[in-house]
Amino acid sequence: MNKTNQLPLSGQTSIVTGASSGLGQAIAISLGKAGSNVCVNFHGNEDGAKETQARIEEIGAKCIIVKGDVGKPKDVAKIFEKTTGAFGDIHILVNNAGIQEDKPLVDMSYEEWDKVIQTNLYGSFLSAQTAAKTFLSQNTEKSPDKCIGKIIFISSVHDIIPWGGRVNYSASKGGIKNLMKSMAQELAPQKIRVNSISPGAIKTPINEDQWKDEANLKVLLKKIPYARIGEPEDIGKVAAWLASEEADYITGTTIYVDGGMTLYPSFAED
Ligand code: NAI
């Protein structure tokens, strides 16, 4: 018997972008654990994608890996086509792929600005738009009774906390915040739920300079009232829950999973 029967997401199919490492890998595994078939998208790191796939198949869920750049419309179309080809209807998109390239504002080239916006904001838009079109084409009823699809953006606490030296990154995440809300408003009547998860500091390759070095970690922990750095699984579990029927009445919301980073902890000392 298929081990994924009766789980919260059994019979459903998910796409996770940038799932060859870090949060994307943990989210893909959590969705597999919840019973979903998973498409693991990767950009450069095929070995990482294969590792994610092996860990999902070990659980007993089905998984494919698909190479593609989320900033390119043709690649995004291919990711969705391959997933439909493998599993049929698609139910969940997690827009996780993202990059960070730091530079003081006055030194930032147009290319350095554009590269981050292209991946983080355009990539999220393209994947979310394709997901919405796919959900609607799979369900032709005008006002369905039940949820027909779920879109989750992996944003950042920097969609509300300004971040000097990284204006490209924080602008991309701030853009995602209102992209998510506007999409949620537009798609709710068609029973598509759209939400964001905004992580604080989570131990992944994107920020290893901040947690591998003990002195840097000490500085970082001062910004986290809950006094620990996050683990990728902290985000994976929330994503699986948010995609499930348990969260059916949630749309247009951002869930901050940040150990209290957005509580402005330095004010506690005043
Ligand atoms: P990561 O560097 O391990 O993951 C980023 C993933 O995106 C990689 O697998 C990379 O190959 C993929 N990627 C990059 N460009 C791509 C493209 N053009 N097309 C497809 N995939 C592409 O870092 P992490 O931390 O797992 O980042 C995942 C998401 O979480 C990002 O959107 C990041 O901004 C966000 N985030 C991470 C935080 C953290 O503390 N780790 C905090 C807040 C947000």
Side-chain angles (χ1 to χ4, degrees), residues 18 20-23 68-70 96-97 155 169 173 199-200 202 204-207:
S20 56
S21 61
L23 300 187
D69 178 342
V70 295
N96 164 78
S155 183
Y169 184 82
K173 297 298 186 178
I202 317 289
T204 73
I206 213 171
N207 55 5

Side-chain angles (χ1 to χ4, degrees), residues 82-236:
K82 295 243 177 202
T83 308
T84 305
F87 301 126
D89 284 0
I90 299 168
H91 308 87
I92 299 157
L93 166 71
V94 182
N95 256 330
N96 164 78
I99 53 172
Q100 190 185 322
E101 295 213 350
D102 308 346
K103 249 317 156 59
L105 171 71
V106 292
D107 298 330
M108 189 177 287
S109 66
Y110 174 79
E111 287 72 25
E112 286 161 342
W113 161 265
D114 190 50
K115 190 176 168 194
V116 172
I117 299 291
Q118 184 72 29
T119 300
N120 297 7
L121 187 56
Y122 284 29
S124 295
F125 162 74
L126 287 170
S127 306
Q129 187 194 40
T130 310
K133 285 184 184 172
T134 305
F135 298 154
L136 293 170
S137 71
Q138 293 168 175
N139 299 273
T140 45
E141 246 180 274
K142 274 253 177 288
S143 305
D145 290 340
K146 283 189 159 183
C147 181
I148 64 163
K150 285 96 42 158
I151 297 170
I152 299 173
F153 292 88
I154 302 302
S155 183
S156 163
V157 290
H158 296 294
D159 61 12
I160 49 165
I161 302 178
W163 210 15
R166 296 135 184 111
V167 296
N168 46 4
Y169 184 82
S170 56
S172 73
K173 297 298 186 178
I176 285 174
K177 192 170 184 63
N178 239 15
L179 170 64
M180 177 278 288
K181 286 173 91 77
S182 304
M183 278 187 62
Q185 190 191 59
E186 189 171 331
L187 297 173
Q190 286 142 310
K191 293 284 193 290
I192 296 173
R193 296 197 292 113
V194 189
N195 292 289
S196 288
I197 295 172
S198 285
I202 317 289
K203 227 180 197 177
T204 73
I206 213 171
N207 55 5
E208 60 188 12
D209 56 318
Q210 286 181 59
W211 51 265
K212 275 198 170 158
D213 178 273
E214 227 169 276
N216 288 349
L217 179 62
K218 225 171 156 185
V219 173
L220 177 65
L221 287 176
K222 283 200 172 143
K223 298 177 182 145
I224 310 172
Y226 204 58
R228 75 164 170 88
I229 188 165
E231 297 294 335
E233 295 68 31
D234 289 320
I235 306 300

